[in-house]
Amino acid sequence: MLTRIDHVGIAVASLEEAIPRYEAAFGLKVAHQETNEAQGVREAMLLVHHGDTGGSYVQLLEPVRPDTPVGKFLAKKGPGIHHIAYGVADIDAALAALTVTGFDLVNKTPVHGTSGSRIAFMHPKGLGGVLTELVEAAEGH
Ligand code: MC0
């Protein structure tokens, strides 16, 4: 079902501070930046590797407000790994299969993710405390 690690989402207080650190440490470049109001984040995608099944990224996440998933996470735990995201070729089929097996889905149907992707979150409780996201990338990503 999974095609790659699409991204590792990292909660940060400030994109302006975090981006230069990741660029300096690893020579990564920002491939894309956007604000996703529905998810309550400003995000920057830094490309690590592009392969046959799509790209793998570090995703830096800054909350737009404290009362958002990333804002609450920062207040509770401080900066750090917020979630891991796996690529899937067909997110509708993946969600249907996970529903049959009884997994706790935060999103039962796909929502809008970065760069026009279709995404869905799975609850951390069912996956060893790791908030997990499935990503069906848009064409060309
Ligand atoms: C909360 N918890 C986490 C967690 N966030 N555990 C691991 N990783 C995280 N990121 C745990 C808390 O520690 C707590 O555990 C329990 O979940 C409830 O926490 P809460 O603070 O009361 O939070 P809830 O219940 O209101 O919400 C948790 C939930 C939420 C996972 C359902 O954060 C959510 O819907 N996340 C999915 C959306 C999201 O994260 N969007 C931002 C990224 P205890 O043991 O204390 O009960 S958007 C994104 O990344 C996009 C745009 C993209 O990739 O394209």
Side-chain angles (χ1 to χ4, degrees):
M1 178 194 285
L2 306 181
T3 58
R4 68 189 179 283
I5 294 178
D6 186 275
H7 63 263
V8 177
I10 299 174
V12 301
S14 160
L15 282 187
E16 280 62 38
E17 283 175 20
I19 289 171
R21 295 191 71 79
Y22 272 82
E23 287 176 335
F26 306 116
L28 300 179
K29 297 265 180 291
V30 175
H32 178 74
Q33 261 186 273
E34 77 179 65
T35 298
N36 186 327
E37 284 294 342
Q39 296 292 336
V41 292
R42 289 179 62 217
E43 59 179 65
M45 301 295 280
L46 290 88
L47 183 67
V48 176
H49 173 74
H50 204 280
D52 291 346
T53 60
S56 293
Y57 301 84
V58 170
Q59 180 187 61
L60 301 175
L61 295 164
E62 177 191 305
V64 296
R65 292 179 309 278
D67 64 333
T68 56
V70 176
K72 284 165 73 177
F73 180 93
L74 274 177
K76 212 165 171 177
K77 302 185 181 181
I81 295 178
H82 179 260
H83 66 267
I84 187 156
Y86 300 110
V88 292
D90 180 344
I91 196 165
D92 301 299
L95 291 175
L98 289 164
T99 301
V100 169
T101 46
F103 272 90
D104 189 356
L105 304 175
V106 174
N107 306 111
K108 291 184 174 49
T109 55
V111 295
H112 166 77
T114 191
S115 300
S117 59
R118 300 169 73 222
I119 64 170
F121 283 92
M122 300 172 68
H123 203 280
K125 287 265 149 70
L127 291 166
V130 179
L131 177 61
T132 300
E133 178 187 340
L134 303 179
V135 182
E136 182 189 301
E139 199 72 27
H141 285 273

